[in-house]
């Protein structure tokens, strides 16, 4: 499934490209032949245009969707564990909104210098590539600190009020983002608004390095602290008796989840509810277990196919990925609330 999904997903889109053409071209790339030469051995040849569509547009998009889905699923799983709140999610906690605000501020301020108001040139500028994730991370970190400050000092109060604080923080940062866009250039604002809804349309090979490194590196860090994180499920007092510095671990994991979310928001915009749906689905399929690697794998595959639906559901246009995940996630959220009653 993991090997077939990228090839199969790359065959969907506005241009009709067969599965066999992609397999042939991929084999040509692996074995060093040219795309046209590899296809020329059959009855028909594959044009260089098809090569460009597959290897320069669709494959980076599929990989970015997988990385984003895996990262958001990991962040959601860790948030639900360290806060002991089954409804925790980067989107509901306001982390995504804070990251979007930081990124939009960077677009508005530095766009005049880098001239990437249409989100086209920032990927080719090394300084702009790093300024966007840094701005998003600052916004996400401010969101986390604000949520913690609003949640209260008592543990019970934190668990009960953290989600409400996150929702309030999300609304606040969303309002600030809208305010910044209101005073921005209209053409840039329209482009940025589409980006904030979540899209993999700007995916490129050069833009894959940072999100992949951050997601993989964060996964390794989380796996290294997995026992300490799982100890929090038994309660803070039990974790203390096991030698876990609960306050430091919780803050570190929240900031790490902020980093994951910030880099992904900088790469593909805000995509909500993935961190809520995937961990819950895994726990429903495997009661009593929370396999992190399986959660990441399932999250990546889920978002790849959501992106396929976004590309194909409407003729001659693309639906933002965030709209689809929010539509599915809101129903999922209501079902969880119904079960908790």
């Amino acid at each position: 499934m993991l090997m077939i999904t990228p090839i199969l997903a790359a065959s969907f889109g506005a241009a009709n490209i067969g599965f066999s053409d992609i397999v042939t071209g991929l084999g040509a790339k692996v074995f060093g032949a040219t795309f046209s030469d590899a296809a020329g051995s059959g009855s028909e040849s594959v044009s260089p245009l098809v090569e460009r569509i597959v290897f320069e547009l669709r494959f980076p998009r599929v990989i970015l969707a997988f990385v984003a889905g895996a990262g958001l699923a990991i962040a959601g799983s860790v948030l639900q564990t360290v806060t002991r709140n089954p409804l925790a999610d980067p989107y509901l906690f306001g982390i995504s909104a804070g990251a979007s605000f930081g990124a939009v501020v960077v677009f508005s301020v530095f766009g005049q210098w880098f001239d990437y108001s249409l989100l086209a040139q920032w990927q080719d500028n090394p300084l702009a590539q790093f300024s966007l994730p840094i701005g998003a991370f600052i916004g996400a970190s401010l969101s986390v600190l604000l949520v913690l400050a609003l949640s209260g000092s008592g543990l019970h109060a934190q668990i009960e009020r953290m989600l409400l604080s996150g929702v309030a923080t999300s609304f606040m940062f969303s309002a600030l983002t809208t305010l910044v866009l209101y005073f921005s250039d209209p053409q840039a604002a329209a482009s940025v608004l589409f980006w904030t809804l979540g899209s993999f349309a700007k995916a490129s090979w050069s833009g894959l390095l940072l999100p992949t490194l951050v997601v993989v590196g964060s996964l390794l860090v989380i796996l290294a602290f997995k026992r300490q994180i799982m100890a929090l499920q038994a309660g803070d007092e039990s974790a203390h008796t096991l030698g876990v510095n609960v306050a430091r671990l919780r803050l570190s994991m929240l900031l790490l989840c902020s980093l994951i979310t910030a880099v992904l928001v900088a790469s593909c915009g805000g995509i909500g509810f993935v961190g809520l749906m995937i961990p819950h689905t895994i726990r429903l399929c495997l009661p009593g277990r929370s396999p992190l690697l399986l959660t990441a794998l399932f999250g990546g595959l889920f978002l790849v196919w959501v992106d396929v639906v976004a590309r194909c559901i409407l003729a001659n246009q693309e639906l933002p990925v965030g709209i689809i995940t929010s539509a599915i996630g809101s129903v999922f959220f209501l079902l969880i609330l119904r079960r908790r009653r």
Side-chain angles (χ1 to χ4, degrees):
M1 185 66 178
L2 182 61
M3 299 299 296
I4 297 177
T5 291
I7 301 175
L8 191 59
S11 64
F12 291 93
N16 187 17
I17 302 175
F19 181 84
S20 59
D21 292 336
I22 297 177
V23 173
T24 302
L26 186 60
K29 288 286 186 180
V30 171
F31 293 106
T34 63
F35 201 82
S36 299
D37 291 342
S41 58
S43 58
E44 297 181 0
S45 63
V46 181
S47 68
L49 177 61
V50 173
E51 175 186 7
R52 185 166 182 264
I53 292 174
V54 172
F55 289 100
E56 296 184 22
L57 299 179
R58 292 189 182 176
F59 270 163
R61 181 173 186 147
V62 169
I63 296 173
L64 180 59
F66 182 86
V67 171
L72 292 173
I74 293 169
S77 179
V78 173
L79 283 174
Q80 291 167 21
T81 302
V82 300
T83 63
R84 301 212 308 275
N85 190 330
L87 300 178
D89 168 75
Y91 188 77
L92 295 174
F93 257 43
I95 299 176
S96 294
S100 296
F101 172 69
V104 168
V105 169
V106 170
F107 275 128
S108 300
V109 174
F110 292 98
Q112 306 175 32
W113 300 347
F114 298 134
D115 192 22
Y116 55 84
S117 59
L118 298 181
L119 306 181
Q121 297 184 18
W122 73 270
Q123 294 177 338
D124 299 324
N125 191 305
L127 182 58
Q129 280 185 9
F130 286 99
S131 65
L132 193 62
I134 290 173
F137 179 63
I138 293 174
S141 300
L142 288 175
S143 177
V144 167
L145 295 177
L146 185 58
V147 168
L148 292 176
L150 294 173
S151 299
S153 57
L155 176 63
H156 181 73
Q158 284 185 338
I159 295 175
E160 293 297 325
R161 297 174 58 185
M162 196 171 283
L163 183 62
L164 293 177
S165 301
V167 172
T169 302
S170 179
F171 277 115
M172 184 190 72
F173 278 111
S174 296
L176 292 174
T177 301
T178 304
L179 182 64
V180 173
L181 290 177
Y182 180 80
F183 289 104
S184 300
D185 178 79
Q187 191 177 17
S191 183
V192 173
L193 181 61
F194 180 83
W195 166 81
T196 57
L197 296 175
S199 173
F200 303 111
K202 299 298 180 181
S204 64
W205 290 112
S206 61
L208 286 175
L209 181 61
L210 183 60
T212 303
L213 288 177
V214 169
V215 171
V216 173
S218 300
L219 177 60
L220 294 177
V221 172
I222 294 169
L223 289 175
F225 288 91
K226 185 177 181 179
R227 290 190 176 184
Q228 292 92 322
I229 294 172
M230 297 304 294
L232 293 178
Q233 288 185 328
D236 284 16
E237 294 181 0
S238 300
H240 273 300
T241 60
L242 295 174
V244 178
N245 189 328
V246 175
R248 185 172 63 183
L249 179 63
R250 180 174 286 124
L251 180 59
S252 299
M253 289 300 109
L254 287 173
L255 290 177
L256 186 62
C257 291
S258 299
L259 177 62
I260 296 173
T261 306
V263 172
L264 294 178
V265 166
S267 301
C268 50
I271 300 174
F273 291 101
V274 176
L276 175 69
M277 292 186 288
I278 302 304
H280 272 283
T281 303
I282 296 297
R283 281 194 290 268
L284 288 174
C285 297
L286 301 172
R289 298 178 57 191
S290 300
L292 200 60
L293 292 177
L294 185 61
T295 301
L297 175 62
F298 193 74
L301 294 176
F302 170 75
L303 208 51
V304 166
W305 287 111
V306 169
D307 182 50
V308 170
V309 173
R311 287 187 315 222
C312 302
I313 193 171
L314 298 177
N316 301 322
Q317 59 182 322
E318 179 181 323
L319 192 67
V321 175
I323 293 179
I324 299 176
T325 58
S326 295
I328 300 173
S330 59
V331 176
F332 194 91
F333 183 80
L334 294 175
L335 292 175
I336 293 175
L337 289 180
R338 183 180 177 84
R339 289 190 62 188
R340 285 174 62 85
R341 290 180 59 188

